[in-house]
Amino acid sequence: KLEALFPKEKVMLIIPAIDLKDGACVRLRQGLMDDATVFSDDPVAMAAKWVEAGCRRLHLVDLNGAFEGKPVNGAAVTAIAKRYPDLPIQIGGGIRSLETIEEYVKAGVSYVIIGTKAVKEPEFVAEACRAFPGKVIVGLDAKDGFVATDGWAEVSSIQVIDLAKRFEADGVSAIVYTDIAKDGMMQGCNVEATAALANATSIPVIASGGIHNLGDIQTLLDTTTPGIIGAITGRAIYEGTLDVAVAQALCDEYAASNK
C-alpha cells in the first residue's frame, strides 16, 4: 500500500511550512512561542506564494492549537484548503480527537499530523488510521533522540525510533521528524538522525527543522536513504536563503537521474 503512495525511486518533495499563530504566519526559534517572527497576516496569500513557486504539498501548523490541545486557527486552514482543493495539505497542532480529524478532512485537508497524542496514547494512532485510512501522519519531535510533546514544552523518556516502530502496523502514511535543537536555527537539519529513523522503519519519513539552503537539500539527497520522501522548510524560504522552485528542481533532477 505504501509503495503505491510513495514510489521507491527517490522523489523528495520540498514542503513549505506555514505556521499559524493568532491568525498570522510566523516562524518560531526552537519552538518558543515568545520568539516568533511574523511574516504575513494573510495565510491564504502566503499559501499562494508557495503554490506559484511550484510546491506540490503544504505543511500547516496550528501553533496555538499545539499548546491548547484543540484547533485555534482552523479558519485559516480551511480557507487555504478551499482555495487549493487539488493541493495536498498536511496540518498539525492540537489534533487530539477523531472529531477534529473529521473536521479537517471535511474541510479538504489531505493529511492530519498527530503529535502529542501519538506519544501519550499510541493506540489513538491505530484508531485514527482505521477511521481515516491514508490520512494520518505521525509527528515525532526529538530532543537528543527523545520524543518531546505539548508544543515541545515536555520531553519524554521515549526514544524516537522505538516509538516509530510501534506505528508500523497501523497504516501511518508518513512520519514528520523534527530535531528541536535545529528548528528555526537555519544551521542544517539533523541528517544523520533523519536517515537513521528512515532506515529503522518501513514508514516514509519527512525531514523537518534547520534547513538553511540548497546545500542542506543536497545533503539529504546524498544520504540516498529511500525512505526520506520530503523536506519541510520554513524560515529559510521566508528569509530567502532557499528558493522553493530551485530546490524542488534539484530533487526532481536527482530522482530522474537515479531511476
Side-chain angles (χ1 to χ4, degrees):
K1 190 167 76 173
L2 284 178
E3 282 182 24
L5 281 171
F6 304 104
K8 283 199 171 170
E9 65 263 29
K10 188 172 181 181
V11 183
M12 195 170 78
L13 292 183
I14 302 300
I15 309 173
I18 297 178
D19 289 2
L20 301 164
K21 179 175 184 265
D22 307 328
C25 301
V26 306
R27 290 302 293 168
L28 307 184
R29 292 184 193 273
Q30 297 183 321
L32 301 171
M33 285 289 266
D34 57 359
D35 192 357
T37 306
V38 177
F39 286 102
S40 171
D41 58 5
D42 187 343
V44 176
M46 189 56 75
K49 178 178 180 175
W50 305 133
V51 170
E52 285 158 20
C55 81
R56 303 205 283 267
R57 188 187 285 209
L58 272 181
H59 177 77
L60 309 183
V61 181
D62 183 344
L63 291 171
N64 302 100
F67 284 90
E68 295 192 24
K70 62 181 188 293
V72 176
N73 292 284
V77 176
T78 300
I80 293 170
K82 282 187 174 169
R83 173 78 176 269
Y84 297 104
D86 298 323
L87 180 72
I89 292 171
Q90 56 193 50
I91 170 70
I95 298 172
R96 315 267 168 96
S97 72
L98 293 180
E99 289 76 20
T100 297
I101 297 173
E102 184 175 18
E103 285 169 17
Y104 276 133
V105 169
K106 281 182 176 176
V109 172
S110 308
Y111 304 98
V112 294
I113 302 168
I114 302 172
T116 294
K117 184 97 169 179
V119 181
K120 295 187 171 179
E121 297 176 39
E123 62 277 5
F124 176 72
V125 173
E127 194 182 345
C129 287
R130 283 194 298 272
F132 303 97
K135 299 284 186 185
V136 177
I137 289 173
V138 168
L140 297 182
D141 307 322
K143 197 165 188 178
D144 303 321
F146 291 95
V147 178
T149 63
D150 299 286
W152 302 350
E154 306 289 333
V155 179
S156 73
S157 58
I158 304 164
Q159 291 273 3
V160 168
I161 286 176
D162 293 340
L163 187 59
K165 286 181 175 177
R166 172 156 186 178
F167 300 125
E168 284 185 320
D170 292 336
V172 170
S173 292
I175 290 171
V176 171
Y177 173 70
T178 307
D179 185 311
I180 296 170
K182 301 282 190 178
D183 190 68
M185 304 307 287
M186 301 210 305
Q187 297 168 350
C189 74
N190 191 333
V191 175
E192 282 184 16
T194 305
L197 178 61
N199 283 320
T201 175
S202 60
I203 304 170
V205 173
I206 297 170
S208 172
I211 287 168
H212 176 52
N213 56 28
L214 207 59
D216 294 326
I217 302 300
Q218 187 65 60
T219 302
L220 270 174
L221 291 169
D222 288 343
T223 66
T224 62
T225 304
I228 302 174
I229 60 154
I232 293 168
T233 174
R235 188 172 286 273
I237 58 173
Y238 289 94
E239 296 190 352
T241 60
L242 183 71
D243 183 293
V244 171
V246 173
Q248 188 60 64
L250 178 70
C251 296
D252 291 346
E253 285 164 20
Y254 183 93
S257 63
N258 286 275
K259 278 189 174 176

